[in-house]
């Protein structure tokens, strides 16, 4: 039977890949429509995708004791989404992704302060390598500090708080319950804003937005379940893999050619993730072995 650690690692990697796909489709869609309309359709399509499951459960999926947290999560997620989607139109996708790498550090600190999680040496080492890789790619002092950079940073801070709130909810609620609440609130909130800035998308843009909603839905399902299985601090170093995915997609879809520093930084990030994955697997085997020894 697959262990919680292995399943969580698999889910987080899938979520990172789906997140990159979502950003790709949104970047394509925002060549025609503004961020408010793109954000609305992204969540509307996501809501429609999971709506049949809501009907199947006769809306029992909304059974929860964390109504206030679900609402607060959506209130913070909305500006985080709009800021990041806007930043995405102002810079290459791998640069926006690299800036968002402040999230793992903020989340890890918040997890220690508010969730009482412990930071193991190998997790810290993986985070440090990820940070070094990010610095190699961004080369502080050589990148313009534009409004897009500030937007991405503000978005990252709010998203970090959303992650911590999500972790507290996962103790009692399933990933689909968290997703259902989030999509209902976000669809309503984003629609109210989009009304004031409405632009009717073409069929091609609607297709982009549908796939953004689909990949975003898979992203949240995977990441919410991963938070339920393991400490949130364990999942964070894997977020750096999004830079590898973003660089590849940026090259093949947007003809954004990653420079040598991007590949060097990505290699450092991958090394950190590899070390952490190896240690988590080894640690899990040691725990299983101890349990077997105790039983025997």
């Amino acid at each position: 039977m697959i262990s919680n650690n292995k399943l969580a690692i698999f889910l987080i990697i899938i979520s990172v890949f789906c997140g990159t796909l979502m950003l790709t489709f949104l970047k394509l869609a925002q060549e025609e429509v503004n961020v408010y309309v793109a954000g609305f359709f992204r969540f509307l399509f996501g809501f429609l995708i999971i709506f049949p499951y809501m009907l199947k459960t006769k809306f029992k999926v909304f059974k929860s004791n964390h109504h206030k947290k679900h609402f607060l999560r959506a209130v913070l997620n909305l500006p985080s989404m709009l800021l990041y989607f806007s930043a995405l139109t102002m810079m290459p996708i791998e640069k926006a992704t690299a800036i968002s790498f402040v999230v793992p550090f903020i989340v890890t600190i918040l997890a220690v302060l508010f969730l009482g999680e412990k930071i193991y040496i190998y997790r810290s080492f993986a985070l440090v390598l990820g940070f070094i890789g990010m610095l190699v790619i961004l080369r502080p002092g050589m990148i313009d500090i534009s409004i897009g950079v500030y937007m991405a940073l503000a978005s990252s801070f709010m998203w970090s708080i959303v992650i911590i709130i999500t972790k507290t909810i996962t103790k009692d609620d399933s990933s689909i319950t968290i997703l259902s609440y989030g999509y209902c609130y976000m669809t309503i909130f984003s629609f109210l804003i989009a009304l004031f800035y409405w632009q009717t998308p073409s069929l091609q843009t609607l297709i982009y937005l549908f796939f953004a909603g689909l990949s975003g839905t898979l992203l949240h399902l995977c990441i919410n379940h991963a938070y339920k299985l393991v400490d949130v601090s364990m999942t964070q170093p894997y977020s750096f893999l999004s830079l590898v995915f973003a660089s590849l997609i940026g090259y093949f879809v947007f003809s954004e050619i990653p420079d040598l520093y991007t590949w060097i930084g990505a290699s450092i990030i991958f090394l950190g993730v590899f070390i952490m994955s190896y240690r988590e697997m080894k640690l899990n085997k040691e725990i299983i072995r101890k349990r077997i020894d105790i039983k025997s």
Side-chain angles (χ1 to χ4, degrees):
M1 185 177 180
I2 189 170
S3 66
N4 283 353
N5 281 11
K6 289 181 180 179
L7 180 57
I9 290 172
F10 173 75
L11 289 174
I12 206 70
I13 292 175
I14 293 298
S15 73
V16 168
F17 179 69
C18 288
T20 308
L21 284 180
M22 179 189 72
L23 293 179
T24 301
F25 287 120
L26 284 168
K27 189 175 177 69
L28 289 169
Q30 287 183 102
E31 292 177 358
E32 181 183 70
V33 297
N34 60 51
V35 63
Y36 309 107
V37 173
F40 163 65
F41 277 104
R42 174 261 180 270
F43 278 99
L44 174 63
F45 283 128
F47 174 80
L48 294 176
I49 289 170
I50 64 173
F51 186 69
Y53 183 82
M54 296 179 186
L55 288 177
K56 183 179 179 180
T57 63
K58 297 180 180 179
F59 297 100
K60 291 180 181 178
V61 71
F62 288 101
K63 185 178 181 180
S64 173
N65 294 320
H66 300 288
H67 300 290
K68 292 181 179 179
K69 288 184 178 180
H70 284 296
F71 181 79
L72 177 61
R73 183 175 178 273
V75 167
L76 291 172
N77 196 9
L78 181 65
S80 175
M81 173 197 73
L82 293 177
L83 285 169
Y84 194 75
F85 289 1
S86 297
L88 196 63
T89 65
M90 302 179 185
M91 63 186 76
I93 190 171
E94 75 269 11
K95 295 297 183 185
T97 301
I99 292 172
S100 70
F101 284 165
V102 297
V103 170
F105 302 97
I106 298 174
V107 168
T108 300
I109 293 170
L110 293 177
V112 173
L113 293 176
F114 296 103
L115 301 180
E117 293 186 3
K118 297 178 180 179
I119 303 181
Y120 298 101
I121 294 177
Y122 61 93
R123 293 183 187 176
S124 300
F125 184 61
L127 281 170
V128 170
L129 282 179
F131 183 70
I132 292 173
M134 179 190 70
L135 291 179
V136 170
I137 294 165
L138 288 180
R139 283 158 288 159
M142 298 179 69
I143 183 175
D144 294 331
I145 306 300
S146 63
I147 184 64
V149 173
Y150 289 117
M151 284 182 172
L153 288 172
S155 171
S156 297
F157 180 75
M158 284 184 279
W159 177 244
S160 299
I161 299 175
V162 170
I163 290 175
I164 296 300
I165 295 173
T166 302
K167 176 61 179 178
T168 63
I169 299 174
T170 57
K171 295 178 181 179
D172 302 305
D173 293 354
S174 67
S175 56
I176 188 65
T177 293
I178 297 171
L179 190 69
S180 298
Y181 270 102
Y183 276 25
C184 282
Y185 281 131
M186 290 294 287
T187 301
I188 294 171
F189 293 165
S190 59
F191 175 68
L192 293 176
I193 296 176
L195 277 176
F196 294 96
Y197 305 94
W198 188 259
Q199 293 177 324
T200 302
S202 64
L203 177 60
Q204 183 177 9
T205 298
L206 280 175
I207 293 173
Y208 290 149
L209 291 169
F210 170 79
F211 283 108
L214 177 61
S215 53
T217 300
L218 293 174
L219 153 69
H220 285 291
L221 277 174
C222 290
I223 204 169
N224 289 344
H225 193 61
Y227 292 156
K228 195 176 186 71
L229 295 172
V230 295
D231 288 349
V232 68
S233 59
M234 174 193 157
T235 66
Q236 292 311 293
Y238 294 95
S239 302
F240 292 111
L241 283 174
S242 60
L243 184 57
V244 179
F245 298 140
S247 296
L248 291 172
I249 290 178
Y251 174 74
F252 288 107
V253 179
F254 301 105
S255 298
E256 299 169 350
I257 302 176
D259 55 27
L260 178 62
Y261 292 98
T262 298
W263 290 113
I264 293 174
S267 299
I268 296 173
I269 291 168
F270 180 79
L271 176 62
V273 171
F274 176 79
I275 291 173
M276 181 173 170
S277 299
Y278 175 78
R279 180 55 187 159
E280 291 289 350
M281 298 298 184
K282 187 175 180 181
L283 182 64
N284 185 66
K285 289 180 180 178
E286 291 174 355
I287 293 174
I288 294 175
R289 191 179 299 114
K290 288 180 180 179
R291 289 176 179 174
I292 293 174
D293 292 341
I294 292 173
K295 289 182 179 179
S296 59

